[in-house]
Amino acid sequence: MQAFEMLGFSLVELLINALMVIVGWLPESLAAPFQYAFMQRALLTSILVGAICGMLSCFVVLKRWSLLGDAISHAVLPGVAIAYLLGWPFFVGAFITGALTSLGIGAIERHTRIKSDAAMGLMFTAAFALGIVIISKIASNTHLMHILFGNVLGVQPSALLLTLFSGVLAVVVVALAYRPLLLYTFDPQQAQALGFNTGLIHYGLILLLTLTIVASLETVGIILVVAMLITPGATAHLLTDRFAVMLGLSVGVGVLSAVIGLSLSVTFDVASGGTIVLVATTLFLLALLLSPSHGLIARQWRRQRYKHG
Amino acid sequence: MISEPDSSAVDIQGVYAAYDGQPVLMDINLRLKAHQWTAIIGPNGAGKSTLFHLLIGSMKPLRGSIQVFGGSLSEHRRAGTIAYMAQREAIEWDFPISVKEAVMTARYGLMRQDTVWRRLLPPRWSDRAHHQAVEEALEAVNMSDLARRPIGALSGGQKKRVLLARALAQNAKVLLLDEPLAGVDPVSERLILKVLAQQRSAGRTILMVTHDLVGTRQHADHVVLINRGVVDQGIPEQMLSEHMLARMAVATPLDLAEEWQ
């Protein structure tokens, strides 16, 4: 365990040094804030979170799981509160309540006549309410604000290590199970017919989603993480008709939003989580207008061309 | 592999199935011979698609057993013996995937038998045999020219042909086709029937849900009339008479729930 942690920290060190080399090429005014260690950690965390969320958001968008992502992210709150109460690391509690809620949603869907959107709305608001009640008793409002909206400038090395670990795990899982995941997202019935274990794929994907949300807690917070799980994937979906390209573009949009958002938030001294999400939304709007295949302008132009010739 | 000409491909014995506690199929007993073209005909809600859901394992029977070539269903699903063509409506056509890649997904089951390093590569660099099967399947349904097109940009008839190509690309012994001719233009319809006739002569077993009585009369070897249970089965000339079809339409057992207990 000790050796594992050591390895993790030296990997973090290495990544930060590599990042600083790139930052070194930037103009002085942009690079200046990154001389502080907390800014370096914030930058690396943001990049990692942007990348993992970007990758997972392809599945969320194509599988129509946006509401499920929202549900899991809210359901993480009571876990954080309970972990705080018991003195556990926050991510353990967060992961447990997030996973329990997603399983509970599945159970209600399967065994009652309640439809899935109602099942999700019901479960996640209940979990969120429980979290709010516990926190109101035990912690200050600043704490609550940090959990809800993120506090990337205050990211501790241990949290950064968790984010790195989640990122590596997510990438390895998606790489090893690329074909089953693609097939299950595209056509679950075909996956079933070919003898793939669709239950395992389904719950594996949900657990991966939960892990991603927990890892993003400190960067964008639980309210806004769902934006990072939808917007990059939606943007990429407008730009390409190939799944592998969509994955890459989506990761790119996630990372770009995180980096630009963080820089802007430091420059203008505004909330970083919100700024990151706004940058992602801006990229989405640009794609919506300018995408050569599915953009509004290209579509209008093609329509005109058909009309006049 | 050579099997006896009249050995059974699919053997369904005493199968019952239900959705949310509502009985859909009752006491189904069917022996489908290998190398035959069997058409399943029945009114809407008769449980035809349910029968297919049982065969691809997305539903489990409440009672009874299903065997394929004398072995278990799951074993044959994993071995790629059974190819399934869903109804067009069951698929997300906005998915960012090209025609060729979509057909290639039929090979994903068989790719589990490839060497480990092959399996780690993206599908595009998979074994030559997979590409060849996909290209042949696209050629058979006359879609080679559109192989690189995104699936969302196809017409209704073309979508059906892609789904058929995907079923063919698996080189499976048994083809399960859920209404392959519904909502298809006449040109595509003729093409699909031609391809299926070729598959039939190549020794494949075809099981097809359809409302197309003309095509069935022409091509099918065997017809099964279904309405919650098997009403009757036999050669097309006998099964497709006015009398038999009328019998099938009213065949729903009046008090299913009672017998269900």
Side-chain angles (χ1 to χ4, degrees):
Chain A
M1 198 62 208
Q2 204 84 49
F4 185 70
E5 226 166 60
M6 289 279 286
L7 187 74
F9 281 123
S10 31
L11 186 57
V12 166
E13 191 95 341
L14 189 76
L15 286 173
I16 285 183
N17 286 336
L19 266 181
M20 285 312 111
V21 171
I22 301 175
V23 171
W25 292 334
L26 294 176
E28 182 61 32
S29 57
L30 274 176
F34 294 102
Q35 59 186 293
Y36 302 107
F38 77 92
M39 276 306 293
Q40 296 174 355
R41 283 200 299 272
L43 181 65
L44 182 58
T45 313
S46 307
I47 290 175
L48 287 171
V49 165
I52 325 172
C53 286
M55 187 172 73
L56 261 293
S57 78
C58 288
F59 297 100
V60 170
V61 166
L62 293 172
K63 236 162 148 83
R64 307 186 183 201
W65 273 3
S66 301
L67 189 57
L68 183 64
D70 203 18
I72 298 175
S73 60
H74 280 76
V76 149
L77 187 65
V80 175
I82 292 168
Y84 184 79
L85 209 59
L86 299 177
W88 292 353
F90 80 93
F91 54 85
V92 176
F95 189 77
I96 291 174
T97 51
L100 277 182
T101 307
S102 56
L103 295 180
I105 291 167
I108 291 187
E109 251 177 286
R110 206 149 321 132
H111 300 296
T112 73
R113 61 189 297 185
I114 309 295
K115 302 280 178 289
S116 69
D117 60 331
M120 286 183 212
L122 194 143
M123 288 296 287
F124 89 72
T125 47
F128 194 67
L130 178 66
I132 294 281
V133 167
I134 299 177
I135 288 181
S136 70
K137 195 71 190 166
I138 60 170
S140 68
N141 273 338
T142 346
H143 261 101
L144 182 62
M145 288 297 278
H146 284 173
I147 299 167
L148 293 185
F149 301 112
N151 178 28
V152 70
L153 299 185
V155 168
Q156 295 305 305
S158 58
L160 173 51
L161 199 57
L162 168 77
T163 308
L164 180 66
F165 171 74
S166 317
V168 171
L169 186 68
V171 169
V172 167
V173 168
V174 171
L176 287 183
Y178 180 78
R179 283 186 303 235
L181 285 174
L182 166 62
L183 183 56
Y184 180 69
T185 312
F186 173 46
D187 186 354
Q189 238 173 22
Q190 172 83 353
Q192 181 84 48
L194 295 181
F196 284 98
N197 187 342
T198 46
L200 181 71
I201 302 175
H202 182 86
Y203 286 110
L205 203 51
I206 285 183
L207 285 184
L208 213 54
L209 193 60
T210 312
L211 189 71
T212 307
I213 288 168
V214 172
S216 322
L217 262 187
E218 302 212 23
T219 318
V220 281
I222 59 182
I223 306 283
L224 291 178
V225 63
V226 69
M228 293 304 283
L229 283 171
I230 300 170
T231 314
T235 309
H237 197 187
L238 288 174
L239 294 172
T240 179
D241 285 308
R242 308 195 85 93
F243 185 68
V245 179
M246 181 177 167
L247 270 179
L249 282 175
S250 183
V251 168
V253 170
V255 171
L256 209 59
S257 328
V259 173
I260 298 177
L262 181 65
S263 307
L264 287 178
S265 79
V266 172
T267 312
F268 296 104
D269 192 24
V270 286
S272 39
T275 316
I276 291 174
V277 170
L278 284 181
V279 172
T281 313
T282 308
L283 292 176
F284 170 77
L285 289 176
L286 284 177
L288 183 64
L289 281 177
L290 303 176
S291 162
S293 46
H294 302 284
L296 294 179
I297 290 176
R299 201 186 277 180
Q300 193 60 36
W301 185 72
R302 278 199 293 269
R303 200 172 292 157
Q304 291 296 326
R305 209 177 46 170
Y306 282 130
K307 215 182 272 173
H308 300 298
Chain B
M1 202 150 45
I2 300 158
S3 41
E4 296 291 312
D6 59 344
S7 67
S8 74
V10 178
D11 209 338
I12 303 173
Q13 283 180 353
V15 160
Y16 287 70
Y19 274 120
D20 295 332
Q22 293 292 313
V24 184
L25 288 175
M26 304 216 354
D27 197 22
I28 301 285
N29 288 289
L30 269 180
R31 261 177 83 99
L32 300 172
K33 281 191 229 149
H35 319 301
Q36 269 204 347
W37 180 328
T38 303
I40 296 179
I41 291 180
N44 292 327
K48 300 169 307 236
S49 292
T50 305
L51 185 64
F52 274 15
H53 289 158
L54 291 171
L55 287 171
I56 64 166
S58 62
M59 241 177 109
K60 300 259 173 292
L62 288 177
R63 255 189 267 167
S65 73
I66 302 174
Q67 287 203 317
V68 178
F69 292 112
S72 84
L73 199 53
S74 57
E75 165 199 328
H76 277 280
R77 273 207 308 277
R78 285 186 68 85
T81 317
I82 306 167
Y84 170 63
M85 173 177 170
Q87 292 189 38
R88 194 172 67 213
E89 295 71 24
I91 282 170
E92 188 80 54
W93 291 97
D94 266 341
F95 200 89
I97 196 169
S98 70
V99 167
K100 184 173 176 188
E101 284 173 295
V103 175
M104 186 64 98
T105 61
R107 308 288 300 182
Y108 284 10
L110 298 164
M111 284 179 191
R112 281 182 295 223
Q113 290 151 23
D114 290 352
T115 51
V116 176
W117 66 271
R118 278 276 192 205
R119 282 192 315 213
L120 289 177
L121 290 174
R124 186 190 300 218
W125 286 291
S126 51
D127 199 85
R128 187 75 216 123
H130 299 306
H131 285 277
Q132 203 169 344
V134 169
E135 276 151 24
E136 279 168 14
L138 284 172
E139 187 73 55
V141 299
N142 219 349
M143 288 285 291
S144 300
D145 297 342
L146 301 179
R148 296 173 63 82
R149 188 166 289 197
I151 54 163
L154 301 175
S155 73
Q158 289 169 336
K159 285 176 179 169
K160 279 282 186 192
R161 274 146 64 189
V162 169
L163 290 180
L164 178 60
R166 187 171 70 161
L168 297 181
Q170 204 177 319
N171 282 331
K173 286 192 212 161
V174 181
L175 295 174
L176 302 179
L177 312 165
D178 200 349
E179 299 202 22
L181 301 175
V184 161
D185 58 280
V187 180
S188 294
E189 179 176 325
R190 227 170 301 139
L191 180 81
I192 291 173
L193 285 172
K194 192 188 88 186
V195 170
L196 291 180
Q198 283 164 358
Q199 293 292 315
R200 156 81 180 75
S201 355
R204 300 259 147 77
T205 308
I206 296 175
L207 188 53
M208 164 170 136
V209 166
T210 183
H211 291 297
D212 171 38
L213 300 185
V214 181
T216 303
R217 219 171 251 127
Q218 259 174 18
H219 296 282
D221 303 303
H222 192 74
V223 172
V224 179
L225 301 182
I226 279 193
N227 198 349
R228 305 276 169 132
V230 177
V231 177
D232 208 339
Q233 53 179 315
I235 56 169
E237 290 78 46
Q238 283 172 0
M239 289 301 117
L240 299 181
S241 66
E242 288 293 328
H243 167 67
M244 287 306 297
L245 292 175
R247 224 188 92 195
M248 173 191 72
V250 297
T252 315
L254 279 178
D255 214 337
L256 270 173
E258 194 174 293
E259 195 166 332
W260 197 250
Q261 310 299 326

